[in-house]
Amino acid sequence: MSMSIFVCFIRIVKGPTMSDRVVALDTIGITLIGIIGIIMIIQNTLAYAEVILVIAILAFIGTIALAKFIEGGVIFDRDRN
């Protein structure tokens, strides 16, 4: 899993397009969720369940914000009538 994060970090640094970078960031978030899930299984605890939820929510919101920025360049629409 650490190799996956390393490869995704390389894709973030030298990805040819912004879409590749967004997918790599999302993949890092999912991999972190997996690592924390494995730690929860090894330690036989549910103490990190909230951490998993926070990382998942932040990864989702970040992916949506970056996708909207790539699409139109504006994240927040201020001119709603």
Side-chain angles (χ1 to χ4, degrees):
M1 291 183 127
S2 61
M3 286 300 295
S4 171
I5 291 176
F6 179 71
V7 170
C8 288
F9 182 73
I10 291 172
R11 179 55 56 194
I12 290 171
V13 171
K14 55 185 237 188
T17 64
M18 189 65 138
S19 299
D20 292 329
R21 292 181 173 112
V22 170
V23 170
L25 280 173
D26 195 38
T27 305
I28 287 176
I30 292 172
T31 306
L32 286 175
I33 290 170
I35 289 171
I36 295 171
I38 289 173
I39 290 171
M40 283 177 53
I41 291 171
I42 290 171
Q43 293 182 353
N44 197 18
T45 183
L46 292 175
Y48 303 116
E50 292 87 9
V51 175
I52 288 178
L53 288 173
V54 168
I55 291 173
I57 291 169
L58 289 175
F60 175 74
I61 291 173
T63 302
I64 296 299
L66 286 171
K68 185 163 180 166
F69 178 73
I70 290 171
E71 179 184 298
V74 177
I75 296 175
F76 297 109
D77 295 331
R78 304 242 186 234
D79 296 330
R80 287 192 177 173
N81 294 328

